[in-house]
Each structure stands twice: as C-alpha cells, then as structure tokens.
Amino acid sequence: MKNPLKTLIVLLTLLMSGCVFAQFNDVEERDDNFIIENNKNILKIDIKEPLLQVAVKNCKDFKAASFEGGIPAYKEMLRKYMYVYLNTDFYVLNGDFTFTLTVDDKGKVTRIEGTPKVANSQVFFEDMKYVVRRIKKNWIPAACNGQPVTSQIKINMNLSSIATDI
C-alpha cells in the first residue's frame, strides 16, 4: 500500500472542494425575488409588473400616473424599503396581495389599502403603509384631458412565509 496519508489528503481535498463549489452554485441560481430573513421568519416577496392603473370615468384622454425613473425604479425602491421597514416577527402570510395607492392631483400618495384581509394581515398592511410613506419621491399625477387628476395604482405581489422556531 502506497502512502495512506497522501491518499487521505487527496480525498479530503476533493471532498472540501465539492462543498465549496456547491455553495457557489446556490448563489448563482438565486432569483430576483426579494427575501427578508430574520431569526424567526423567511419572507419571499415577488412584486408583479406591470403596476395596474384605474382610469378615471368619463375621460376621453386619460394619461396614467408615472414615477420618476419609471415603474422599475419604484419597484426597486419599494423592495429596498420593505427590506428595511417590514417587521415580519408579527405575521406569516402566504399568497397574493394587492395594494391600491391613491395618488392625488399633486402626485402625493394619500391612501394605501391592502387586500385580501386574512388573519394577521392588518399588521402587515400597517407596515406597508409605513413603507410606502417613507418613499419621499412624488408620482407624476394622472391626467384627464390635460388636467391633473386623482387616480389609483394597484400593486400585486406574492408573499411566501416560512416560520421557524429557534
């Protein structure tokens, strides 16, 4: 038998290199969905595009509200703020949720409503109101026949929560 120590070292090196490459592979396969992780919950958030707008009744020339930098900029800012301000210790939510933002004729978000209402969703909805209000940039208001008007923007997202006991 030739040097068993060399054989053992070669086997251990191969084993450790396999573990290192497996970790790199996991990082490369991540998707763009947003994940918040704390010591109790893992929350995956997928904000859907496009954001939908409700047109104003009896308007022949409706122009939808817009955000400086476009919808992708708003979506990215919303992701960042959700990461900072959501407190997922208080809720475990799964499924599709819709938030309706009312944007007034000056471009300010004046109302935020979340649906559907399920167990513990009210705390989440309050957190989301706080998140949306932290975004200081105004929207460019919708216009009807060239005049700024109040409009509604619907944001659809899917949440997947996993609660853990530590």
Side-chain angles (χ1 to χ4, degrees):
M1 188 171 201
K2 294 185 181 183
N3 198 345
L5 186 58
K6 282 185 180 180
T7 305
L8 182 62
I9 291 173
V10 169
L11 286 174
L12 286 174
T13 304
L14 287 172
L15 180 65
M16 288 191 306
S17 66
C19 291
V20 168
F21 286 121
Q23 289 177 354
F24 284 128
N25 192 27
D26 287 347
V27 172
E28 290 173 4
E29 291 179 6
R30 286 189 314 198
D31 62 11
D32 288 337
N33 294 333
F34 188 68
I35 297 176
I36 297 174
E37 198 172 334
N38 63 23
N39 61 354
K40 294 182 183 177
N41 297 328
I42 298 171
L43 179 62
K44 180 178 178 183
I45 301 170
D46 180 18
I47 301 172
K48 306 293 183 188
E49 279 192 54
L51 304 184
L52 305 173
Q53 295 210 25
V54 179
V56 177
K57 291 180 183 180
N58 302 323
C59 182
K60 294 183 180 14
D61 183 26
F62 179 75
K63 182 179 176 193
S66 58
F67 191 77
E68 181 182 325
I71 297 302
Y74 185 79
K75 183 178 166 181
E76 185 59 32
M77 191 175 294
L78 185 60
R79 281 178 193 259
K80 287 178 184 177
Y81 280 61
M82 288 172 79
Y83 178 73
V84 172
Y85 295 113
L86 283 183
N87 186 355
T88 59
D89 289 339
F90 298 108
Y91 39 81
V92 175
L93 300 170
N94 291 295
D96 293 323
F97 290 87
T98 300
F99 289 91
T100 303
L101 310 181
T102 301
V103 178
D104 70 9
D105 58 354
K106 303 206 180 3
K108 298 222 184 266
V109 176
T110 58
R111 189 171 183 190
I112 303 142
E113 291 184 28
T115 58
K117 306 236 185 294
V118 295
N120 299 322
S121 65
Q122 197 56 41
V123 176
F124 170 60
F125 295 158
E126 291 300 318
D127 279 358
M128 282 300 294
K129 287 178 184 179
Y130 185 79
V131 166
V132 171
R133 287 188 180 115
R134 298 287 65 84
I135 298 174
K136 297 300 182 192
K137 289 185 178 181
N138 286 343
W139 287 79
I140 299 165
C144 177
N145 302 325
Q147 297 297 316
V149 293
T150 298
S151 65
Q152 292 184 335
I153 299 164
K154 295 193 180 284
I155 302 172
N156 295 313
M157 61 180 68
N158 180 276
L159 302 176
S160 300
S161 297
I162 300 171
T164 58
D165 291 331
I166 296 179

